[in-house]
Amino acid sequence: MNQELDYAEMLEIPVSTVNVVKKKSLNLFKRKGDKEQQPQDDLKDLVVDSVNERVGAYVYAEDLSDPPAPEKKAFGKIKDKGNAIIIGEIVAVCVIAVAIFITNLFMPTSLINTFIGSFSKADTTEPTYSELKLSPVVGENSDAEITVSSSGVLSFTAKGAVYPVCDGVVSSISETDGLYTVEIAHTSSFSSVITGLSSVYSAKGTKVAANIPFAYSDGENEVKVSMYDGETLLNCYTLADEVPVWNS
């Protein structure tokens, strides 16, 4: 018995074949027709049976059949379903947009327009003119003597920078005979008009601040400052150390 048989016995596993080496006989007179292959095959079978009996006649049969194919998940169906949902949402948004457009066009006072408009108007509140703090129209070091008329017009004649009464936006600038008139919008209804200016630093549409001069007077012409609530000239303020203050 060769090394393969020894290895099989050492591992104690069943075998199905072994190689048996049989020494050649010294018989020089072998008759024709004698076959040595048959005894050798018989000997192989005996050896295989003997080894299998020693290890419990365990037979291992390898399953050579193809493994079952993995189940394919229906990705196509899931993808199609997701696309259908997205398309449905897009269609719904388009329908709502068209409905809003039509109601805005033909029914501006409809319930849906009123509801949507309530959100846009929520943050549009602004203070009234009396809630705004007024500032002096000349610098602290100016020697200008400011007066206020009974109608509520501030006036002075002095050389120096001119300031707005409070923060705002320049809404208009006009010029007549070399003198400028500037209107400043402080809120949607509260504004001020300054006349008699020699030059203007700010352009139309720019923001102005109460502590930054926006114009200049050469002192040769009277500068007047009027404040309006809409079209109404305001006179409900007084001067306190050259600073206009609302009447309480």
Side-chain angles (χ1 to χ4, degrees):
M1 163 182 340
N2 62 1
Q3 293 181 354
E4 184 175 352
L5 179 59
D6 295 337
Y7 183 70
E9 290 181 346
M10 181 176 62
L11 295 179
E12 293 187 356
I13 61 176
V15 296
S16 60
T17 181
V18 296
N19 293 328
V20 178
V21 179
K22 181 180 180 183
K23 294 183 178 180
K24 293 183 179 181
S25 174
L26 297 177
N27 186 4
L28 300 177
F29 303 97
K30 182 172 62 174
R31 292 181 299 175
K32 293 182 178 179
D34 290 345
K35 297 182 179 179
E36 295 181 357
Q37 185 66 30
Q38 184 65 31
Q40 185 174 358
D41 292 339
D42 294 339
L43 182 58
K44 288 182 179 180
D45 294 337
L46 291 174
V47 173
V48 171
D49 293 339
S50 176
V51 173
N52 288 338
E53 287 179 1
R54 293 182 59 186
V55 297
Y58 175 80
V59 178
Y60 172 76
E62 182 179 3
D63 187 3
L64 299 178
S65 60
D66 295 334
E71 182 180 357
K72 295 183 179 180
K73 296 183 179 180
F75 290 108
K77 294 182 179 179
I78 296 175
K79 185 177 180 180
D80 293 340
K81 185 177 180 181
N83 291 337
I85 294 175
I86 294 175
I87 293 173
E89 292 177 350
I90 294 174
V91 172
V93 171
C94 293
V95 170
I96 294 173
V98 171
I100 293 174
F101 174 77
I102 293 174
T103 54
N104 286 336
L105 186 62
F106 297 103
M107 295 180 291
T109 59
S110 64
L111 181 60
I112 186 171
N113 286 337
T114 304
F115 176 74
I116 295 175
S118 63
F119 292 99
S120 61
K121 296 179 181 179
D123 298 329
T124 57
T125 57
E126 60 182 8
T128 61
Y129 66 87
S130 59
E131 295 175 340
L132 298 175
K133 183 179 180 181
L134 300 178
S135 300
V137 294
V138 295
E140 294 180 356
N141 298 324
S142 176
D143 295 331
E145 294 183 2
I146 302 176
T147 61
V148 56
S149 67
S150 58
S151 60
V153 178
L154 290 169
S155 60
F156 66 92
T157 303
K159 183 178 181 180
V162 181
Y163 296 75
V165 292
C166 59
D167 299 345
V169 177
V170 177
S171 57
S172 67
I173 301 176
S174 60
E175 185 264 335
T176 303
D177 298 332
L179 296 178
Y180 293 90
T181 298
V182 177
E183 182 178 0
I184 300 175
H186 305 289
T187 68
S188 60
S189 59
F190 177 51
S191 62
S192 61
V193 178
I194 304 94
T195 62
L197 300 171
S198 303
S199 59
V200 179
Y201 307 142
S202 302
K204 180 180 177 180
T206 59
K207 293 182 179 181
V208 292
N211 60 341
I212 299 176
F214 75 97
Y216 179 79
S217 173
D218 58 9
E220 296 182 1
N221 298 280
E222 185 181 38
V223 177
K224 294 182 179 181
V225 181
S226 305
M227 291 180 280
Y228 294 87
D229 181 21
E231 299 295 331
T232 303
L233 178 64
L234 298 174
N235 62 351
C236 53
Y237 64 92
T238 57
L239 289 176
D241 296 332
E242 310 298 331
V243 179
V245 179
W246 298 115
N247 296 331
S248 56

